[in-house]
């Protein structure tokens, strides 16, 4: 049932850094976009960042200038470099892959990021 697998989460101090990684359980063909979402306790899941196979990149305003997304849609890999972490970044982070043609979404089970002193 696991489609994507995230790794790299953990506990860090404010101002610290983490690098999240995600890879598919197998290669999913014709992926058009990959990205990261997060969900904090009591909050809705929100988009953090994504990129498309066409080369565009989008970030949530709350992470601009601090997070950098990278990856290869064809290889179903995506990374999230998180710098200058804040307690507000604490959440479960989920990776996502999308195929636009048939509206298919693949999800990971999430990795916990906790930012605390």
């Amino acid at each position: 049932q696991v489609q994507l697998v995230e790794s790299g989460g953990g506990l860090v101090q404010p101002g610290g850094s983490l690098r999240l990684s995600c890879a598919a359980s197998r290669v999913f063909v014709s992926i058009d976009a990959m990205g990261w979402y997060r969900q904090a306790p009591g909050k809705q899941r929100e988009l953090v960042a994504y990129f498309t196979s066409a080369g565009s990149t989008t970030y949530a305003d709350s992470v601009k200038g601090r997070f950098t997304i990278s990856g290869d849609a064809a290889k179903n890999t995506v990374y999230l470099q998180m710098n200058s972490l804040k307690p507000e970044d604490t959440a479960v982070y989920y990776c996502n892959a999308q195929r636009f043609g048939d509206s298919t979404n693949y999800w990971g089970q999430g990795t916990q990021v906790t930012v605390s002193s």
Side-chain angles (χ1 to χ4, degrees), residues 4 19-23 30-37 47-60 68-81 95-100:
L4 300 167
R19 182 175 173 85
L20 305 184
S21 301
C22 178
S30 302
I31 295 298
D32 298 300
M34 296 193 73
W36 292 91
Y37 292 73
L47 175 69
V48 177
Y50 73 90
F51 69 89
T52 69
S53 59
S56 66
T57 305
T58 300
Y59 294 90
T68 303
I69 191 169
S70 61
D72 187 334
K75 295 181 179 179
N76 304 161
T77 57
V78 59
Y79 307 93
L80 188 68
Q81 179 66 46
C95 64
N96 168 264
Q98 297 179 64
R99 186 186 301 114
F100 297 157

Side-chain angles (χ1 to χ4, degrees), residues 33-48:
M34 296 193 73
W36 292 91
Y37 292 73
R38 68 186 181 187
Q39 187 166 25
K43 290 191 170 184
Q44 298 228 61
R45 185 177 296 188
E46 65 175 349
L47 175 69
V48 177

